[in-house]
Amino acid sequence: MIVLEYLSALLTNFLALSAEASPWLLLGLLIAGLMKSWVPTKILSQHLGEGKLAIVKAAIIGAPLPLCSCGVIPVATELRRSGASASATSSFLVATPETGVDSVSVSYALLGPVFAIYRPITAIVSAIITGLLVSTIKKENIKRPNDSIDKVKSCCSSKQKPDPIPEPAVAKTSCCESKKTANNSTGFFNKTISGIHYAATKLIDDIIIWLLVGLIFATLIKTFLPESFLLSYGSGLGAMLVMIAISIPMYICATASTPVAAGFILAGISPGTALVFMMAGPATNISTLGVIKNEMGSGVLIRYLLGISLSAISFGLLLDYGLTFFNVNIAQQMQHSHELLPFWFGLSCAGLIAMLSIKPLRKLVL
């Protein structure tokens, strides 16, 4: 009987997490696909290449985007493969899921003006700090983009044997010129279809395993780790360290983390400890960490985790100190609000992703 209850809870939580993540994941895949087909690689590599300015740009670009920690994965993967540096990509990976226009509005509604202002600032600064930490790695120690697109040998690169029989001097168009002409004539519609096809095939194939692993891990944590466990640690540095350890493997988006954090504060956890949860939870999960290791290597992954952890704890302690010093009561600013997308819509998106992930089924629609 107990086993059946746990199995039922596992299935319910897995479906709930899948429904929560899937719409944003589809949005991320769409953005990544369109970015690949619309935005020239040269522009991305120029603005998000090496240097401190690229890290700041990536944080500012990522902060307002309404993407969760799963939805940002395909976009960041495509950024990296298009020429963005590991440090800029890491900065983007932190800033984007930690905040967004949607989560700021929900923060204001649930937690009041202090959190609505403080939260996006911490997201951008922590992204820059993480990017700077990643930039300390030597270039040769960073894994190159793992883009396994098959390289087709073209007539331009292959050495052709000269034709022994001379042909009449007729103006010819080489295969390279033909290709260039075709590319120039490709319209907006064709580029869009090409980008969507890329997102629904190669990109989803590259990340789906880690996404599935992350959702399963998050389901196990949600099922077997009750909120009372966190509340038993109260507040302070010890509570923040426990919150970091639990948040890192967990999947939760910035918007969904807000009502959970509000519940923590009402239950007695300090606002700074709740902020740690809202920073570390969205910016990390098993899926994100797996993709970072796969695309950029272990050195980047270690610095990524270090940057997020140090930033979250530092800003959490600073918030608690500031609220005490200025005698601000967050609980008085809090109101209740709820839910974003209907469950049936999220579940439909999850079904679509599952179908696209299974190649025989995908061929039926693509």
Side-chain angles (χ1 to χ4, degrees):
M1 192 71 177
I2 296 177
V3 174
L4 288 176
E5 287 179 5
Y6 274 124
L7 287 175
S8 175
L10 284 168
L11 179 60
T12 301
N13 288 333
F14 180 77
L15 290 176
L17 286 169
S18 299
E20 181 186 330
S22 296
W24 308 110
L25 175 58
L26 280 176
L27 177 62
L29 285 167
L30 179 62
I31 292 173
L34 296 179
M35 185 172 65
K36 179 176 177 62
S37 58
W38 290 351
V39 183
T41 302
K42 186 178 179 181
I43 293 179
L44 291 174
S45 58
Q46 180 182 349
H47 288 281
L48 299 179
E50 301 297 333
K52 293 179 176 61
L53 185 58
I55 295 170
V56 176
K57 283 181 181 178
I60 293 173
I61 290 169
L65 294 180
L67 290 174
C68 69
S69 54
C70 276
V72 73
I73 292 174
V75 181
T77 300
E78 187 53 38
L79 275 176
R80 175 65 177 151
R81 294 179 180 184
S82 298
S85 64
S87 53
T89 305
S90 299
S91 178
F92 182 85
L93 270 168
V94 173
T96 306
E98 277 193 0
T99 189
V101 289
D102 52 343
S103 63
V104 170
S105 59
V106 174
S107 295
Y108 180 81
L110 288 176
L111 300 171
V114 171
F115 264 98
I117 296 170
Y118 193 71
R119 189 179 185 182
I121 292 173
T122 61
I124 293 173
V125 176
S126 64
I128 294 171
I129 290 171
T130 304
L132 291 173
L133 276 174
V134 172
S135 69
T136 60
I137 308 175
K138 290 182 180 179
K139 244 179 153 184
E140 58 268 22
N141 293 332
I142 297 177
K143 189 173 180 181
R144 292 187 178 184
N146 185 27
D147 194 352
S148 57
I149 298 174
D150 295 331
K151 293 180 180 179
V152 181
K153 189 183 287 185
S154 70
C155 64
C156 309
S157 59
S158 60
K159 293 181 180 179
Q160 303 283 347
K161 290 185 178 180
D163 196 331
I165 303 173
E167 295 181 3
V170 180
K172 295 182 181 180
T173 304
S174 71
C175 66
C176 297
E177 290 170 345
S178 302
K179 187 176 179 183
K180 187 175 180 182
T181 305
N183 285 341
N184 289 337
S185 63
T186 301
F188 175 83
F189 179 77
N190 288 340
K191 283 186 177 182
T192 302
I193 295 299
S194 173
I196 293 172
H197 186 270
Y198 169 79
T201 53
K202 174 165 176 51
L203 196 52
I204 202 168
D205 287 342
D206 287 347
I207 66 175
I208 194 62
I209 296 298
W210 280 111
L211 287 170
L212 183 60
V213 170
L215 284 173
I216 291 172
F217 202 90
T219 300
L220 293 172
I221 288 178
K222 188 172 183 179
T223 304
F224 296 108
L225 191 70
E227 288 186 10
S228 57
F229 175 81
L230 292 175
L231 297 177
S232 64
Y233 280 86
S235 304
L237 181 59
M240 292 180 184
L241 290 171
V242 172
M243 193 69 81
I244 285 284
I246 294 168
S247 300
I248 284 175
M250 181 185 291
Y251 167 77
I252 190 165
C253 70
T255 304
S257 70
T258 310
V260 177
F264 285 155
I265 294 172
L266 291 173
I269 277 183
S270 73
T273 307
L275 178 72
V276 170
F277 171 76
M278 290 193 292
M279 290 180 69
T284 62
N285 63 58
I286 294 297
S287 302
T288 304
L289 303 183
V291 171
I292 289 173
K293 186 178 185 303
N294 188 49
E295 293 291 327
M296 294 181 279
S298 301
V300 174
L301 176 60
I302 292 169
R303 285 164 175 79
Y304 181 85
L305 288 173
L306 185 63
I308 291 171
S309 300
L310 291 175
S311 299
I313 292 173
S314 299
F315 281 116
L317 292 171
L318 183 62
L319 178 62
D320 281 347
Y321 175 79
L323 293 175
T324 302
F325 184 82
F326 292 105
N327 196 26
V328 177
N329 190 341
I330 288 292
Q332 291 180 352
Q333 300 181 1
M334 291 168 57
Q335 301 171 10
H336 289 282
S337 174
H338 238 167
E339 281 281 315
L340 299 170
L341 299 173
F343 181 75
W344 65 265
F345 179 75
L347 211 55
S348 301
C349 292
L352 177 59
I353 291 171
M355 186 178 70
L356 292 174
S357 304
I358 302 171
K359 291 182 180 180
L361 292 178
R362 183 167 70 197
K363 289 178 181 177
L364 298 176
V365 293
L366 295 179

